[in-house]
Amino acid sequence: MTAAEADWTIDPVIADAVARRLSQPLTYDPPYTAGPVGEALAEHYADRHGLAVTGANFWLTSGVVSALSGVLRRLLRPGESALYFSPSYHSLPDAIEAVGARAVAVELDVFDAPERALERLAECVTPTTRVILLCNPHNPTGHVFSRSELERIAEVARERDLVVVSNELHARVVLRGTPHTPMHAVYPERTLVLGGATKSHNLAAIGGGFVTAHDADWLHAIRRQVGPEVAPARGVQQAAMRAAYSGPDSQWLTDARRRLSWSAEVLQDALTARFPHWRVHRPDATAFLWIEGQRSRDAAAQLEQACGIRGLSGREFRADARYLRLAHGLGRAVLDDALQAITAREG
Ligand SMILES: Cc1ncc(COP(=O)(O)O)c(C=O)c1O
């Protein structure tokens, strides 16, 4: 249960859109920012979040990590620093460090005091800080930063003249609780948001993503500076993204969220019963459970040894080995096997 994706087949609406694109000549599609994909994205953000955007507010890319990397290369110089919330999906601090900048971890403790992270954030800003790098919803903890939390982040950014880069790839995998607010809705002047349909619609094998900002001129100035380093979205990726963002959420997406919600709940219950010393965080979003095991024990090794289930060690997320991330986007048969493996050896 290591992979950050769900086990089930894709939305038929997307499969149809991709099949239609595949039936045409597989030429380069225009790497456009306007056009039907940009329009679908703009409508989505206008309808869901009340943002006054058009297709010109989007830059379509072939992936999120490469776009993140390209953007940070333009925003940071060696010797400068960027803040990120830790634990973290490794590509965030990796992309900061690839520039020769310093990745400064701000602890996000979802078990005891998530709100403390915002006080820490303000304390961590130094004269070298240029960027706050957010992941919201947060991989690996599934924390969704509330609007008021984002406003506090914006306050810090405004006061210290920082750019916020917000990776919102899991935005449409909110399962309960806090609704997702895009960062450029609260800090429009200097936020770049990265998103895409790969997580919500299970399209990792197709890929694709976008970068968006309130200020289209600023966005495209950055796009031009990044240049060919980040490939534009290919035709098949564009077709998939357009289908994923057009109109209301499909039944497939609603069902996917329901399945994820349920698998998170039943796995949390089973794990808590099997490992009474563990704390299993029930995520508000994402297909991940974030687990805190016992101090100075390796939780991933413990789980594998006891139940034959493999998760990703906290070390993959710049935390220590007492932590563990378990992906719970499992099809019914695999989920049943996992539950059986967790409960069977109980006692
Ligand atoms: C937060 C986050 N960003 C980016 C990615 C990968 O995006 P891409 O495949 O578009 O580079 C992942 C994959 O798990 C992720 O969780």
Side-chain angles (χ1 to χ4, degrees), residues 43-66:
E43 243 179 79
H44 174 89
Y45 276 89
D47 286 356
R48 310 295 165 93
H49 304 293
L51 292 175
V53 286
T54 70
N57 293 86
F58 294 86
W59 159 24
L60 307 180
T61 67
S62 55
V64 169
V65 168
S66 61

Side-chain angles (χ1 to χ4, degrees), residues 154-187:
E155 231 170 78
V156 174
R158 224 171 249 132
E159 211 168 87
R160 308 299 287 261
D161 196 24
L162 307 176
V163 173
V164 177
V165 177
S166 186
N167 178 334
E168 301 182 4
L169 187 56
H170 296 264
R172 296 177 76 193
V173 198
V174 174
L175 309 176
R176 59 178 201 151
T178 317
H180 178 256
T181 302
M183 188 64 200
H184 57 320
V186 297
Y187 185 46

